Amino acid sequence: MNENLFASFIAPTILGLPAAVLIILFPPLLIPTSKYLINNRLITTQQWLIKLTSKQMMTMHNTKGRTWSLMLVSLIIFIATTNLLGLLPHSFTPTTQLSMNLAMAIPLWAGAVIMGFRSKIKNALAHFLPQGTPTPLIPMLVIIETISLLIQPMALAVRLSANITAGHLLMHLIGSATLAMSTINLPSTLIIFTILILLTILEIAVALIQAYVFTLLVSLYLHDNT
């Protein structure tokens, strides 16, 4: 039971070689593109959603911050498609791996922080010491603010991994219970199966929300440093 429960979180291999890279490169292939002057409804809807998302995230940024718009839109599309593909049966979700989420969070966080120290070093250093702090508390507050700054990419990665992993485990447990109850009690099976369908809908929403939250927090870190 334990082996089957966590089998979907094991990185897959093909002939002994890790297949995670191919899985990570697969979602961009699902994004439709058009070579025609007049787009179809799917492309039009896709472009409308991208414009709506980018406008909502980039409104608070100045000119320098808006140079990140393409990267942030690509990030939210990648995380959302990866999370949704992970809901398919017998599939692997790369965003359940903490290492991958750290690989996304650390460079983006570091880029935003370095940009802040290069362009607004006084404001960046002012975050380490709030105005009006009593003198005896200055060393402690500087240490606390430094730790809170360094822990930001870890919080981003852990939040995404924990939410996606918890949803997958819960769906697996309820699915196993539905299969086990199907030979025992049919009314109970129908009730559990209804719960499973509702949970699947919830997980689709969670997959999209977590992609938005991850990208929005990166956008807020960028806003604080530009």
Side-chain angles (χ1 to χ4, degrees), residues 73-187:
V73 170
S74 302
L75 178 66
I76 191 174
I77 292 175
F78 171 74
I79 297 177
T81 53
T82 304
N83 291 345
L84 292 175
L85 288 175
L87 295 175
L88 298 176
H90 306 289
S91 61
F92 172 71
T93 312
T95 48
T96 58
Q97 306 296 312
L98 185 60
S99 57
M100 176 182 168
N101 295 337
L102 285 173
M104 292 190 296
I106 292 178
L108 294 171
W109 167 84
V113 172
I114 292 173
M115 181 181 292
F117 277 101
R118 288 185 60 185
S119 60
K120 299 192 308 181
I121 186 169
K122 291 184 178 180
N123 293 335
L125 294 177
H127 291 157
F128 292 95
L129 188 62
Q131 187 176 5
T133 304
T135 304
L137 296 179
I138 289 179
M140 182 181 299
L141 282 179
V142 170
I143 295 174
I144 292 175
E145 292 297 329
T146 304
I147 294 175
S148 66
L149 176 65
L150 297 176
I151 208 173
Q152 286 177 352
M154 178 63 72
L156 274 177
V158 170
R159 181 186 296 106
L160 181 58
S161 297
N163 282 281
I164 301 301
T165 302
H168 282 58
L169 288 176
L170 190 57
M171 289 179 62
H172 187 280
L173 291 173
I174 295 180
S176 300
T178 304
L179 185 61
M181 292 293 294
S182 61
T183 58
I184 301 175
N185 192 335
L186 185 59

Side-chain angles (χ1 to χ4, degrees), residues 161-219:
S161 297
N163 282 281
I164 301 301
T165 302
H168 282 58
L169 288 176
L170 190 57
M171 289 179 62
H172 187 280
L173 291 173
I174 295 180
S176 300
T178 304
L179 185 61
M181 292 293 294
S182 61
T183 58
I184 301 175
N185 192 335
L186 185 59
S188 299
T189 303
L190 295 176
I191 295 175
I192 299 176
F193 184 70
T194 303
I195 296 175
L196 179 61
I197 293 176
L198 296 176
L199 180 62
T200 303
I201 297 173
L202 177 63
E203 283 304 310
I204 293 175
V206 169
L208 298 175
I209 291 172
Q210 288 304 315
Y212 178 75
V213 169
F214 188 97
T215 310
L216 181 62
L217 289 176
V218 173
S219 178

Side-chain angles (χ1 to χ4, degrees), residues 46-59:
Q46 171 188 305
Q47 293 178 349
W48 175 76
L49 289 174
I50 291 175
K51 289 181 181 179
L52 180 64
T53 304
S54 60
K55 181 180 179 180
Q56 186 171 359
M57 287 191 300
M58 293 292 110
T59 301

